[in-house]
Amino acid sequence: QVQLVESGGGLVQAGGSLRLSCAASGLFFRSLTMGWFRQAPGKEREFVAAISWSTGTTAYANAVKGRFTISRDNAKNTVYLQMNSLMAEDTAVYYCGSAPYTWTTAEYAYKYWGQGTQVTVSS
């Protein structure tokens, strides 16, 4: 089993930055995707960004391209989401997820999830 723990959320003003972290422990497979998803009040959970653990290949939702950067630290089994130029529309609970044995942005393939961390952007 894989355990994921997010941290780094908080309250920031529009235009500011935050860096989220997702630490993985337990069973961990190199052949997997680590991704960030978010869910705003009254909305479905949506894809934000993903990274292939083995190759470093990344993918981003159009809404965050150019503003967010996903990265990984293999030695620490940790994935990060650097969020810049934050807007009120970015307010959501952000979840870290893991999709074993594949490279994908599809939510259904993600089998392990963290507890979520709240990001609130004020204007």
Side-chain angles (χ1 to χ4, degrees):
Q1 301 277 38
V2 176
Q3 294 82 47
L4 305 174
V5 180
E6 304 99 330
S7 62
L11 174 65
V12 298
Q13 293 186 345
S17 299
L18 282 175
R19 188 179 74 160
L20 306 183
S21 299
C22 174
S25 61
L27 294 179
F28 196 83
F29 304 96
R30 291 183 56 82
S31 179
L32 56 78
T33 306
M34 296 290 289
W36 288 97
F37 295 74
R38 67 187 183 186
Q39 186 169 23
K43 297 183 178 180
E44 297 295 314
R45 186 160 58 185
E46 65 177 357
F47 167 76
V48 175
I51 186 167
S52 167
W53 195 255
S54 59
T55 69
T57 300
T58 60
Y60 297 92
N62 288 334
V64 306
K65 286 181 179 178
R67 300 189 298 119
F68 291 10
T69 303
I70 189 170
S71 62
R72 74 198 195 285
D73 186 331
N74 293 301
K76 296 181 178 180
N77 285 345
T78 300
V79 63
Y80 304 96
L81 185 67
Q82 179 66 46
M83 305 185 295
N84 298 326
S85 301
L86 283 163
M87 304 182 295
E89 294 75 30
D90 297 315
T91 295
V93 177
Y94 283 70
Y95 296 92
C96 177
S98 176
Y101 308 114
T102 189
W103 159 244
T104 183
T105 62
E107 182 179 348
Y108 69 81
Y110 286 71
K111 305 302 181 183
Y112 304 98
W113 296 92
Q115 82 287 352
T117 185
Q118 176 71 48
V119 172
T120 302
V121 183
S122 64
S123 58

